[in-house]
Amino acid sequence: MQIIRALDALKPALAQLRGSGDTLALVPTMGALHDGHLALVAEAKAVATRVAATIFVNPLQFNDPKDLARYPRTEEADLARLEAAGCDLVWLPTPAQLYPDGFATNISVRGVSERWEGEHRPGHFDGVATVVAKLLLAVRPTHALFGEKDWQQLAVIRRVEADLGIGVEILGHPTVREADGLAMSSRNALLSPEKRSKAVALPTALHAAGKEIGAGGAVGPALERAKAALLSGGFSTVDYLALVDSRSLEPLEKPREPMRLIAAASIGGVRLIDNIPVTLEQQVGR
Ligand code: AMP
């Protein structure tokens, strides 16, 4: 596996890697890698002949400096895991390389980025859209993989590709979960053992609400019950818990496929997000 740190080493390494006719799949990450990230690498290997990853904790997408400062960094272990997963190249840019003095461009996506994470983390999706566009333009992969765990992020990135025509196929990968159902996340490592065991209330509440709505139950009360379950189950705040159109991320008062339940809530000072698809059960005789 080639490890690239200097910007001027990237182009020749990529040229050599792609050779003639190879496809290249990119997996952008912020490091602190877990099995969810590695599932993206495995999927990348399945769709393309070459696989590259990036590790970059992007300061532009952190609206809270404390969150940036305590973001877990485990570079040595990350490199070992990427190599073992069969990654061909990893690029670790620095903030100064991606955002040199005078950097002034911002990619801002209207509509799909405005609610939910966009509302609770002002500037977050501008940072995501800007860095992802930069990484895609620098690496020029044929495919790029992103997790459905960050459902709104995936929708924003699909919008960027559709609008700017960078020429990359954007692929989403289903959320990888721990044995108890908690979505894998680099932030889980920040939870105390006690809060970690309680955090499973998040997927549990989403599944309970999804089942209720799928069976024809009223949306509002199902969402309220799920929020109450989070607050009584150890979460201190619920930023949002909503039923949304899967593509536009607009809230739904009545179920309409394709739809998802999305949520963000904090436990022990750690903010977690999750989402699940919801499907309507076939109602016989209606
Ligand atoms: P991050 O390092 O958190 O920015 O994540 C890098 C990529 O991995 C993003 O596309 C995430 O959506 C994806 N990812 C993170 N956690 C998971 C998970 N549990 N399952 C699947 N993909 C994930």
Side-chain angles (χ1 to χ4, degrees), residues 27-31 33-34 36-37 40 61 71 145-150 153 173-177 183-186:
V27 180
T29 81
M30 298 203 298
L33 300 184
H34 50 63
H37 297 113
L40 298 188
Q61 72 190 68
Y71 197 83
L145 286 100
F146 298 89
E148 289 183 354
K149 149 103 181 351
D150 300 279
Q153 168 175 283
H173 188 278
T175 302
V176 179
R177 296 177 181 278
M184 288 189 183
S185 164
S186 310

